[in-house]
């Protein structure tokens, strides 16, 4: 395959402009056709027969021992005969780069049968007897094939093929070929291409199949015949407008596809499909179909696997195609084929776009995920032509910035109190990481937060793969699905076998960070049809530091930072924040009540664990799976009662409280949870449970920043001395 420099040299702009379609890409077939064109130019060159050749099929044989077995036939006299010169009737040599065009190989990807070209590729490590049989079949099978003989009958040089077929009737000739092959291989097995050379004039040279039009035309006709006869069709072809080029031509209905779409077995794609009339449902011309098939190398280089599905991420340039765009696209595709780096196509495209300063608005992607099944059936997820690198890249950057800079996850330098939610450098979603784009690209981003499956491979309706495709293509994810997945994962973690695991606070914080990143107003990757959940899809704005100075703390909360932190977090989180048109009975108010209840349970539970040395706390007593609308009132009453008990105990021990312990939570909870009565709440269970879990995480993290306090005390001690 040509390097970019070689490609540019061989195909200057004026030459390339004539080879590529000028019209904008408007379909998957258009992308495949362009890929096929570029691949053909880079491997077999231009010309009528170039798209039909398969130079990569035997590329691993180049420059290997005994990789080319040539049956040499002299047709220069009245009676055809095997060659009798120094090289002999059978010449075993090395398949080399300069022979790729000459042998004119066209692979037929079938378990049985012969290749389309007279050149045939044998299986790996075939024994001499099998290779001898394949050598004889260049005459006995290929030259006598019905399609080949029909092509010969209408070609001026058809006599060449007819004389090969005539030789096939001679047992003496066939025996000589067999003996020569076995003797030349010395009894050793080999992986080889088998072909022929023919001499046409007495004083002429032996010529390769690729040098003679009759061999090329017979190869072409044989390959075309397969495009109309797959799946037991007799002749699925007819005159129609080619959907790729827009020209009137003979179109075929059962051609192959690099992505296995539009197959005859895919009856659900075309209900009531008649195989013979398939060309009407999906008309593609013969030459376009073959060019599309040649896209496979580039298509495969731009795919990767995750959750058992195959993700296609195929780059192309928006608008009319130009030589300049073709060069840039070829560079992307060439690097995808030849670079060994273990990165996804998304990461490679990101790196290339930065290095080459490629406009991300011009660079688009076809995105889909395919789940293969038996019998060549496939489920296709979220197919789109409008994928942009912007979405996975920006999601990765947004998430990193959120957990490192946003006040919801970072402690104010002026404040000796923890951030609202915890971070942890050992949790990928709670720390900045350089491989976030890889996490997003592979779906690991959702694997960490969604419900776990017994089988790591995705099902036909697996929300992990659907979420991945949505992000790659820029389509919004239903927030209802996220909440369902989040809660299921939380409950799984809560009821795990490890008794020391405790409440999964880092998981909940990770889920919330993901939820916030997806809600970014520049991405808009969250959606819902439920007006009650609409606030969850809005982006929180945590960039503003919660408490700037000690004076602000005293002014807003009587000198205690916990109350100001809670008020700011609620007000800056749209899913929880009161609004002017918020009635007491709104779902947002109910969600806020669930959060506050969780915050109090988490706060008291932490107190029980660290001050009371209790092995079972309120957090254990009221797990997420136990929280329902009907239990909210009881849990709230019991938790507030427990808070009052601890307040009285501490006052008896000499500690002075101006009010109730954790009163910054209790007061707000009382306001929220009693009006309306929780029995009349309308909030969905998943919504209720997730924000209760978020509250528990908040409450467990709601305490002085011990590390900051110790650091401040050390600094003060050093200043005194």
């Amino acid at each position: 395959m040509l390097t970019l420099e070689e490609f540019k040299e061989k195909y200057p702009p004026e030459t390339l402009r004539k080879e590529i379609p000028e019209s904008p890409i408007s379909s998957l077939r258009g992308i495949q056709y362009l890929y096929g064109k570029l691949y053909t130019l880079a491997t077999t060159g231009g010309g009528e027969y170039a798209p039909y050749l398969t130079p990569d099929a035997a590329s691993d044989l180049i420059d290997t021992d005994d990789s080319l077995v040539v049956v040499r036939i002299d047709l220069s006299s009245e009676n055809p005969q095997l060659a009798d010169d120094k090289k002999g009737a059978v010449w075993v040599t090395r398949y080399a780069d300069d022979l790729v065009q000459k042998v004119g190989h066209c692979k037929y990807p079938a378990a049985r049968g012969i290749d389309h070209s007279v050149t045939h590729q044998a299986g790996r490590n075939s024994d001499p007897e099998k290779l001898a049989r394949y050598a004889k079949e260049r005459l006995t099978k290929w030259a006598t094939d019905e399609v080949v003989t029909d092509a010969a009958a209408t070609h001026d040089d058809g006599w060449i093929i007819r004389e090969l077929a005539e030789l096939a009737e001679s047992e003496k000739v066939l025996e000589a070929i067999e003996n020569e092959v076995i003797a030349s291989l010395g009894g050793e097995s080999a992986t080889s291409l088998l072909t022929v050379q023919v001499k046409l004039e007495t004083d002429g040279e032996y010529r390769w199949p690729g040098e003679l039009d009759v061999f090329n035309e017979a190869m072409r006709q044989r390959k075309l015949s397969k495009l109309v006869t797959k799946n037991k069709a007799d002749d699925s072809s007819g005159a129609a407008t080619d959907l790729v080029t827009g020209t009137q031509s003979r179109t075929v209905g059962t051609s192959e596809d690099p992505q296995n779409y539009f197959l005859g077995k895919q009856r659900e794609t075309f209900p009531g499909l008649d195989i013979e009339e398939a060309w009407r449902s999906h008309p593609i011309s013969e030459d376009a179909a073959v060019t599309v098939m040649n896209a496979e190398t580039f298509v495969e280089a731009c795919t990767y696997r995750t959750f058992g599905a195959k993700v296609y991420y195929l780059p192309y340039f928006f608008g009319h195609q130009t030589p300049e765009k073709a060069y840039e696209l070829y560079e992307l595709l060439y690097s995808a084929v030849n670079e060994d780096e273990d990165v996804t196509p998304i990461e490679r495209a990101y790196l290339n776009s930065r290095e080459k300063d490629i406009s991300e608005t011009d660079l688009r992607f076809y995105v889909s995920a395919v789940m293969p099944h038996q019998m060549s059936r496939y489920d296709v997820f979220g197919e789109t032509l409008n994928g942009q690198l912007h979405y996975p890249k920006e999601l990765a950057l947004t998430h990193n910035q959120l957990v490192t800079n946003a006040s919801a996850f970072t402690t104010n330098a002026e404040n000796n109190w923890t951030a609202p939610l915890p971070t942890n450098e050992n949790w990928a979603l709670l720390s900045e990481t350089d491989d976030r784009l890889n996490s997003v690209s592979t779906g690991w981003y959702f694997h960490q937060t969604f419900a776990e499956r017994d089988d790591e491979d995705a099902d036909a309706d697996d929300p992990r793969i659907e979420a991945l495709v949505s992000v790659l293509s820029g389509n919004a994810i239903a927030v209802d699905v996220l909440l369902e997945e989040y809660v299921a994962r939380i409950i799984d973690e809560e009821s795990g076998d490890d008794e020391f695991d405790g409440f999964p606070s880092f998981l909940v914080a990770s889920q919330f960070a993901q939820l916030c990143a997806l809600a970014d107003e520049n991405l808009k990757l969250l959606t819902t049809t439920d007006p009650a959940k609409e606030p969850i899809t809005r982006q929180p704005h945590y960039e503003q530091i919660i408490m700037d100075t000690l004076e602000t703390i005293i002014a807003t909360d009587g000198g205690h930072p916990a109350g100001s932190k809670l008020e700011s977090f609620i007000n800056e989180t749209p899913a929880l924040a009161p609004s002017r048109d918020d009635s007491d009975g709104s779902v947002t108010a109910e969600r806020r009540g669930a959060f506050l209840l969780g915050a109090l349970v988490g706060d008291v539970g932490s107190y029980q664990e660290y001050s009371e040395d209790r092995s079972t706390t309120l957090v254990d007593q009221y797990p997420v799976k136990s929280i329902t609308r009907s239990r909210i009132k009881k849990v709230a009453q019991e938790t507030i009662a427990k808070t009052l008990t601890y307040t009285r105990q501490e006052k008896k021990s000499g500690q002075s409280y101006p009010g109730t312990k954790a009163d910054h939570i209790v007061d707000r909870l009382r306001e929220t949870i009693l009006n309306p009565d929780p029995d009349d709440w309308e909030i969905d269970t998943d919504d209720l449970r997730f924000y209760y879990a978020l509250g528990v995480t908040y409450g467990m993290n709601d305490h002085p920043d011990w590390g900051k306090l110790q650091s401040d005390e050390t600094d003060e001690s050093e200043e005194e001395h």
Side-chain angles (χ1 to χ4, degrees), residues 259-435:
Q259 287 161 264
N260 293 309
Y261 294 178
F262 313 115
L263 299 180
K265 291 182 180 179
Q266 299 293 93
R267 299 298 181 95
E268 66 277 11
T269 306
F270 304 105
L273 174 67
D274 180 347
I275 294 296
E276 300 296 338
E277 302 296 319
W279 60 274
R280 297 183 185 274
S281 303
H282 191 75
I284 184 168
S285 69
E286 296 171 331
D287 288 343
V290 172
T291 301
V292 163
M293 291 163 63
N294 286 343
E296 183 173 7
T297 297
F298 284 154
V299 167
E300 288 301 308
C302 296
T303 65
Y304 61 101
R305 291 187 178 275
T306 186
F307 301 130
K310 195 171 188 178
V311 179
Y312 291 90
Y313 199 74
L314 311 183
Y316 70 96
F317 283 93
F318 187 73
H320 290 277
Q321 300 306 301
T322 64
E324 291 70 25
K325 289 180 179 179
Y327 291 140
E328 290 183 347
L329 178 60
Y330 180 76
E331 184 174 16
L332 287 174
L333 299 174
Y334 179 85
S335 64
V337 172
N338 293 282
E339 291 179 5
D340 294 330
E341 297 178 14
D342 186 20
V343 297
T344 63
I346 293 91
E347 296 168 274
R348 184 179 291 108
Y350 173 59
L351 294 173
N352 283 336
S353 65
R354 291 181 63 187
E355 291 175 2
K356 305 301 179 183
D357 196 28
I358 296 175
S359 171
E360 289 185 15
T361 57
D362 289 339
L363 185 61
R364 299 294 175 89
F365 297 86
Y366 166 86
V367 180
S368 71
V370 174
M371 182 64 65
H373 300 292
Q374 293 181 347
M375 301 300 291
S376 300
R377 295 190 180 279
Y378 306 87
D379 288 322
V380 181
F381 297 84
E383 187 179 24
T384 181
L385 271 170
N386 201 35
Q388 295 185 47
L389 187 60
H390 168 78
Y391 296 104
K393 181 203 71 175
E394 287 300 320
L395 179 59
L397 294 174
T398 297
H399 193 111
N400 272 345
Q401 293 168 359
L402 181 72
V403 296
T404 56
N405 298 324
S407 57
F409 294 92
T410 57
T411 304
N412 189 287
E414 302 293 331
N415 182 27
N416 293 327
W417 210 260
T418 57
L421 298 171
T423 54
N424 189 315
E425 62 181 13
N426 294 321
W427 280 72
L429 295 179
L430 293 178
S431 60
E432 185 175 15
T433 174
D434 293 334
D435 65 352

Side-chain angles (χ1 to χ4, degrees), residues 76-136:
S76 62
S77 59
E78 184 175 346
N79 297 315
Q81 61 186 7
L82 296 177
D84 60 357
D85 59 6
K86 291 182 180 180
K87 288 182 179 177
V90 174
W91 174 35
V92 178
T93 185
R94 281 173 169 251
Y95 181 48
D97 281 322
D98 63 342
L99 295 178
V100 173
Q101 302 294 325
K102 293 179 179 180
V103 301
H105 182 221
C106 180
K107 180 72 176 175
Y108 177 37
R112 297 182 179 181
I114 58 175
D115 287 348
H116 298 306
S117 56
V118 68
T119 302
H120 179 77
Q121 184 174 4
R124 185 159 296 279
N125 294 322
S126 298
D127 58 54
E129 290 75 16
K130 182 176 288 187
L131 290 173
R133 174 164 60 85
Y134 291 150
K136 291 185 292 183

Side-chain angles (χ1 to χ4, degrees), residues 607 611-612 645-657 661:
Y607 175 84
S611 298
E612 299 289 312
T645 298
Y646 289 131
T647 300
R648 288 192 293 268
Q649 288 179 359
E650 294 205 352
K651 285 184 177 181
K652 287 182 181 180
S653 66
Q655 296 188 40
S656 176
Y657 274 110
K661 184 176 179 61

Side-chain angles (χ1 to χ4, degrees), residues 402 512 515-517 519-520 535-543 572-575:
L402 181 72
F512 186 70
L515 193 67
C516 293
D520 182 85
I536 304 176
T537 67
R538 297 184 214 154
Q539 177 186 1
H541 291 284
Y542 298 128
E543 292 82 5
E572 294 175 2
T573 305

Side-chain angles (χ1 to χ4, degrees), residues 683-720:
I683 187 171
D684 288 347
T685 301
D686 287 333
D687 194 346
L688 173 76
R689 287 175 171 173
F690 176 73
Y691 282 92
Y692 169 80
L694 183 66
V696 173
T697 301
Y698 182 101
M700 292 176 67
N701 199 55
D702 190 28
H703 55 72
D705 187 341
W706 306 118
K708 183 69 167 57
L709 286 175
Q710 290 172 1
S711 175
D712 291 347
E713 290 173 359
T714 300
D715 292 343
E716 291 175 3
S717 175
E718 290 176 351
E719 289 177 3
E720 291 175 358

Side-chain angles (χ1 to χ4, degrees), residues 393-671:
K393 181 203 71 175
E394 287 300 320
L395 179 59
L397 294 174
T398 297
H399 193 111
N400 272 345
Q401 293 168 359
L402 181 72
V403 296
T404 56
N405 298 324
S407 57
F409 294 92
T410 57
T411 304
N412 189 287
E414 302 293 331
N415 182 27
N416 293 327
W417 210 260
T418 57
L421 298 171
T423 54
N424 189 315
E425 62 181 13
N426 294 321
W427 280 72
L429 295 179
L430 293 178
S431 60
E432 185 175 15
T433 174
D434 293 334
D435 65 352
R436 180 83 68 209
L437 183 57
N438 177 269
S439 172
V440 173
S441 304
T442 59
W444 179 248
Y445 187 67
F446 297 107
H447 178 83
Q448 296 172 82
T449 57
F450 279 32
E452 293 184 317
R453 269 75 180 172
D454 293 334
D455 187 351
E456 289 305 307
D457 289 350
D459 296 323
D461 57 351
D462 195 309
R464 296 174 301 175
I465 195 72
E466 291 180 350
L468 168 61
V469 173
S470 293
V471 167
L472 297 185
S473 58
N475 294 322
I477 305 168
V479 74
D480 314 67
V481 171
L482 287 180
L483 294 179
E484 180 180 358
E485 289 295 310
Y486 288 172
V487 170
R489 180 65 173 269
I490 294 168
I491 292 174
D492 285 345
E493 295 289 335
E494 274 190 323
S495 54
D497 296 333
D498 191 343
E499 61 179 320
F500 300 104
D501 280 348
F503 183 80
S505 58
F506 291 135
L507 168 64
V508 177
S510 296
Q511 292 172 332
F512 186 70
Q514 185 177 87
L515 193 67
C516 293
L518 292 168
D520 182 85
E521 59 191 15
N522 294 318
L523 296 173
K524 298 180 180 178
L525 291 174
L526 290 183
T527 187
T528 183
T529 57
D530 184 354
K533 293 190 180 72
E534 190 275 333
I536 304 176
T537 67
R538 297 184 214 154
Q539 177 186 1
H541 291 284
Y542 298 128
E543 292 82 5
Q544 178 65 39
I545 298 298
I546 295 177
M547 293 159 287
D548 295 321
T549 63
L550 185 60
E551 288 76 16
T552 302
I553 296 172
I554 294 173
T556 58
D557 200 58
H560 200 289
S564 179
K565 182 183 79 170
L566 178 63
E567 182 177 355
S568 296
F569 181 76
I570 288 175
N571 289 337
E572 294 175 2
T573 305
L576 303 174
S579 61
R580 291 181 180 179
D581 57 354
D582 234 9
S583 64
D584 289 336
S586 74
V587 171
T588 299
E590 296 165 8
R591 187 180 299 119
R592 188 165 62 249
F595 170 79
L596 289 167
L597 175 58
L600 187 59
V601 169
D603 190 299
V604 175
S606 294
Y607 175 84
Q608 291 175 317
E609 182 176 357
Y610 294 107
S611 298
E612 299 289 312
D613 197 24
R614 297 276 296 273
S615 59
T616 300
T617 69
L618 284 184
V619 176
D620 306 307
Q621 188 176 344
Y622 304 123
V624 171
K625 66 180 178 181
S626 71
I627 301 301
T628 60
R629 292 193 298 269
S630 61
R631 293 203 66 199
I632 284 288
K633 186 191 299 183
K634 179 182 179 182
V635 174
Q637 291 170 342
E638 293 178 355
T639 303
I640 292 174
K642 187 66 69 174
T643 305
L644 295 174
T645 298
Y646 289 131
T647 300
R648 288 192 293 268
Q649 288 179 359
E650 294 205 352
K651 285 184 177 181
K652 287 182 181 180
S653 66
Q655 296 188 40
S656 176
Y657 274 110
T660 306
K661 184 176 179 61
D663 57 359
H664 64 290
I665 303 175
V666 173
D667 292 345
R668 289 175 174 83
L669 177 61
R670 281 176 170 150
E671 293 173 3

